[in-house]
PDB file of all heavy atoms in Angstrom:
ATOM      1  N   ASN L 417      85.603  -6.359  59.386  1.00 85.00           N
ATOM      2  CA  ASN L 417      84.655  -5.592  58.593  1.00 85.00           C
ATOM      3  C   ASN L 417      83.279  -5.534  59.260  1.00 85.00           C
ATOM      4  O   ASN L 417      82.709  -6.567  59.580  1.00 85.00           O
ATOM      5  CB  ASN L 417      84.528  -6.224  57.204  1.00 85.00           C
ATOM      6  CG  ASN L 417      83.824  -5.308  56.235  1.00 85.00           C
ATOM      7  OD1 ASN L 417      82.625  -5.127  56.317  1.00 85.00           O
ATOM      8  ND2 ASN L 417      84.577  -4.719  55.312  1.00 85.00           N
ATOM      9  N   PRO L 418      82.723  -4.344  59.453  1.00 88.00           N
ATOM     10  CA  PRO L 418      81.426  -4.220  60.117  1.00 88.00           C
ATOM     11  C   PRO L 418      80.232  -4.491  59.208  1.00 88.00           C
ATOM     12  O   PRO L 418      79.091  -4.477  59.671  1.00 88.00           O
ATOM     13  CB  PRO L 418      81.417  -2.763  60.584  1.00 88.00           C
ATOM     14  CG  PRO L 418      82.248  -2.058  59.565  1.00 88.00           C
ATOM     15  CD  PRO L 418      83.326  -3.025  59.180  1.00 88.00           C
ATOM     16  N   ASP L 419      80.479  -4.721  57.899  1.00 93.00           N
ATOM     17  CA  ASP L 419      79.380  -4.937  56.958  1.00 93.00           C
ATOM     18  C   ASP L 419      79.307  -6.372  56.454  1.00 93.00           C
ATOM     19  O   ASP L 419      78.559  -6.659  55.519  1.00 93.00           O
ATOM     20  CB  ASP L 419      79.524  -3.997  55.751  1.00 93.00           C
ATOM     21  CG  ASP L 419      79.214  -2.559  56.116  1.00 93.00           C
ATOM     22  OD1 ASP L 419      78.167  -2.335  56.743  1.00 93.00           O
ATOM     23  OD2 ASP L 419      80.019  -1.673  55.785  1.00 93.00           O
ATOM     24  N   ALA L 420      80.062  -7.289  57.050  1.00 94.00           N
ATOM     25  CA  ALA L 420      80.095  -8.674  56.579  1.00 94.00           C
ATOM     26  C   ALA L 420      79.413  -9.588  57.589  1.00 94.00           C
ATOM     27  O   ALA L 420      79.702  -9.532  58.794  1.00 94.00           O
ATOM     28  CB  ALA L 420      81.536  -9.125  56.360  1.00 94.00           C
ATOM     29  N   ASP L 421      78.512 -10.404  57.085  1.00 94.00           N
ATOM     30  CA  ASP L 421      77.845 -11.402  57.909  1.00 94.00           C
ATOM     31  C   ASP L 421      77.363 -12.512  56.985  1.00 94.00           C
ATOM     32  O   ASP L 421      76.376 -12.348  56.264  1.00 94.00           O
ATOM     33  CB  ASP L 421      76.671 -10.785  58.667  1.00 94.00           C
ATOM     34  CG  ASP L 421      75.987 -11.772  59.597  1.00 94.00           C
ATOM     35  OD1 ASP L 421      76.684 -12.635  60.147  1.00 94.00           O
ATOM     36  OD2 ASP L 421      74.755 -11.677  59.763  1.00 94.00           O
ATOM     37  N   ILE L 465      73.823  -4.894  57.018  1.00 97.00           N
ATOM     38  CA  ILE L 465      73.290  -5.838  57.992  1.00 97.00           C
ATOM     39  C   ILE L 465      72.152  -5.138  58.727  1.00 97.00           C
ATOM     40  O   ILE L 465      72.365  -4.462  59.743  1.00 97.00           O
ATOM     41  CB  ILE L 465      74.373  -6.290  58.996  1.00 97.00           C
ATOM     42  CG1 ILE L 465      75.603  -6.821  58.254  1.00 97.00           C
ATOM     43  CG2 ILE L 465      73.827  -7.355  59.943  1.00 97.00           C
ATOM     44  CD1 ILE L 465      76.764  -7.169  59.164  1.00 97.00           C
ATOM     45  N   LEU L 492      72.402  -9.772  67.602  1.00 94.00           N
ATOM     46  CA  LEU L 492      73.764  -9.303  67.345  1.00 94.00           C
ATOM     47  C   LEU L 492      74.373 -10.118  66.214  1.00 94.00           C
ATOM     48  O   LEU L 492      74.400 -11.351  66.266  1.00 94.00           O
ATOM     49  CB  LEU L 492      74.622  -9.458  68.595  1.00 94.00           C
ATOM     50  CG  LEU L 492      74.133  -8.712  69.850  1.00 94.00           C
ATOM     51  CD1 LEU L 492      75.041  -9.009  71.025  1.00 94.00           C
ATOM     52  CD2 LEU L 492      74.056  -7.211  69.594  1.00 94.00           C
ATOM     53  N   ALA L 493      74.856  -9.430  65.182  1.00 92.00           N
ATOM     54  CA  ALA L 493      75.500 -10.115  64.061  1.00 92.00           C
ATOM     55  C   ALA L 493      76.866 -10.635  64.492  1.00 92.00           C
ATOM     56  O   ALA L 493      77.627  -9.932  65.159  1.00 92.00           O
ATOM     57  CB  ALA L 493      75.642  -9.168  62.876  1.00 92.00           C
ATOM     58  N   ASP L 494      77.156 -11.856  64.117  1.00 89.00           N
ATOM     59  CA  ASP L 494      78.431 -12.483  64.469  1.00 89.00           C
ATOM     60  C   ASP L 494      78.888 -13.285  63.249  1.00 89.00           C
ATOM     61  O   ASP L 494      78.482 -14.431  63.063  1.00 89.00           O
ATOM     62  CB  ASP L 494      78.249 -13.379  65.691  1.00 89.00           C
ATOM     63  CG  ASP L 494      79.585 -13.862  66.255  1.00 89.00           C
ATOM     64  OD1 ASP L 494      80.624 -13.612  65.607  1.00 89.00           O
ATOM     65  OD2 ASP L 494      79.589 -14.469  67.330  1.00 89.00           O
ATOM     66  N   ASP L 495      79.684 -12.655  62.398  1.00 90.00           N
ATOM     67  CA  ASP L 495      80.080 -13.259  61.131  1.00 90.00           C
ATOM     68  C   ASP L 495      80.787 -14.602  61.366  1.00 90.00           C
ATOM     69  O   ASP L 495      81.731 -14.703  62.148  1.00 90.00           O
ATOM     70  CB  ASP L 495      81.017 -12.309  60.375  1.00 90.00           C
ATOM     71  CG  ASP L 495      81.267 -12.761  58.953  1.00 90.00           C
ATOM     72  OD1 ASP L 495      80.477 -13.569  58.444  1.00 90.00           O
ATOM     73  OD2 ASP L 495      82.258 -12.297  58.362  1.00 90.00           O
ATOM     74  N   VAL L 544      84.539  -8.792  67.247  1.00 56.00           N
ATOM     75  CA  VAL L 544      83.643  -8.641  66.107  1.00 56.00           C
ATOM     76  C   VAL L 544      82.940  -7.301  66.255  1.00 56.00           C
ATOM     77  O   VAL L 544      82.283  -7.062  67.263  1.00 56.00           O
ATOM     78  CB  VAL L 544      82.616  -9.789  66.042  1.00 56.00           C
ATOM     79  CG1 VAL L 544      81.683  -9.609  64.859  1.00 56.00           C
ATOM     80  CG2 VAL L 544      83.328 -11.136  65.951  1.00 56.00           C
ATOM     81  N   PRO L 545      83.078  -6.389  65.284  1.00 55.00           N
ATOM     82  CA  PRO L 545      82.544  -5.035  65.472  1.00 55.00           C
ATOM     83  C   PRO L 545      81.035  -4.988  65.628  1.00 55.00           C
ATOM     84  O   PRO L 545      80.498  -4.094  66.262  1.00 55.00           O
ATOM     85  CB  PRO L 545      82.994  -4.303  64.195  1.00 55.00           C
ATOM     86  CG  PRO L 545      83.254  -5.382  63.196  1.00 55.00           C
ATOM     87  CD  PRO L 545      83.752  -6.551  63.989  1.00 55.00           C
ATOM     88  N   GLN L 546      80.303  -5.964  65.045  1.00 60.00           N
ATOM     89  CA  GLN L 546      78.854  -5.934  65.152  1.00 60.00           C
ATOM     90  C   GLN L 546      78.375  -6.429  66.509  1.00 60.00           C
ATOM     91  O   GLN L 546      77.260  -6.142  66.927  1.00 60.00           O
ATOM     92  CB  GLN L 546      78.196  -6.795  64.063  1.00 60.00           C
ATOM     93  CG  GLN L 546      78.637  -6.462  62.652  1.00 60.00           C
ATOM     94  CD  GLN L 546      79.717  -7.409  62.188  1.00 60.00           C
ATOM     95  OE1 GLN L 546      80.646  -7.701  62.923  1.00 60.00           O
ATOM     96  NE2 GLN L 546      79.597  -7.899  60.964  1.00 60.00           N
ATOM     97  N   ALA L 547      79.185  -7.261  67.169  1.00 66.00           N
ATOM     98  CA  ALA L 547      78.766  -7.885  68.414  1.00 66.00           C
ATOM     99  C   ALA L 547      78.838  -6.907  69.577  1.00 66.00           C
ATOM    100  O   ALA L 547      79.547  -5.906  69.534  1.00 66.00           O
ATOM    101  CB  ALA L 547      79.631  -9.112  68.694  1.00 66.00           C
ATOM    102  N   GLY L 548      78.127  -7.230  70.629  1.00 78.00           N
ATOM    103  CA  GLY L 548      78.135  -6.367  71.809  1.00 78.00           C
ATOM    104  C   GLY L 548      76.979  -5.402  71.789  1.00 78.00           C
ATOM    105  O   GLY L 548      76.631  -4.828  70.757  1.00 78.00           O
TER     106      GLY L 548
END
Side-chain angles (χ1 to χ4, degrees):
N417 194 287
D419 288 311
D421 183 34
I465 307 175
L492 301 177
D494 190 352
D495 190 19
V544 179
Q546 306 98 315

